[in-house]
Amino acid sequence: WDAVRTVLKTSPVAELWNLGQGKNWIRKAALDAGDPELIELSEDLSSALQLTDQYVYDNNFIYFQPGNGKLKTKEPKDQIKIAQTKLKTIISSL
């Protein structure tokens, strides 16, 4: 799970969700264009990447966390698929 988190926390992916809105070039392009749909897509992309990171983080430290101790493999994969779909839509809109 560390490798997945490394990708999420490394440029250019990190700019899309982790380094603040000022570094998110997709959000900036959406705001500059004044396109509400593109703004929403950029926010959805950021949220999906953030949720992916949270699930991966939880899996990395599952043995130290309260709860049932089960790894969540479906959830981060689902969030990555959502992020991919949003990114493809954004790219086709630009």
Side-chain angles (χ1 to χ4, degrees):
W1 296 107
D2 278 340
V4 177
R5 286 201 82 214
T6 298
V7 170
L8 290 168
K9 298 275 189 170
T10 304
S11 183
V13 179
E15 283 86 2
L16 301 178
W17 73 278
N18 191 43
L19 300 178
Q21 293 181 0
K23 299 274 186 176
N24 187 334
W25 62 271
I26 290 178
R27 180 171 170 74
K28 184 176 179 336
L31 289 171
D32 289 347
D35 184 340
E37 184 178 333
L38 200 53
I39 293 168
E40 184 176 344
L41 284 167
S42 73
E43 291 170 357
D44 292 346
L45 172 61
S46 294
S47 294
L49 292 171
Q50 184 175 23
L51 282 171
T52 301
D53 182 65
Q54 184 62 53
Y55 287 126
V56 170
Y57 177 87
D58 291 347
N59 283 343
N60 202 35
F61 296 101
I62 195 74
Y63 304 109
F64 308 108
Q65 302 294 323
N68 62 11
K70 292 184 180 179
L71 290 175
K72 293 183 178 179
T73 56
K74 180 184 181 309
E75 292 84 352
K77 289 177 184 178
D78 288 347
Q79 290 302 315
I80 285 294
K81 287 178 186 172
I82 291 169
Q84 287 173 326
T85 301
K86 300 296 180 183
L87 187 56
K88 285 178 183 177
T89 304
I90 290 167
I91 289 170
S92 69
S93 298
L94 293 176

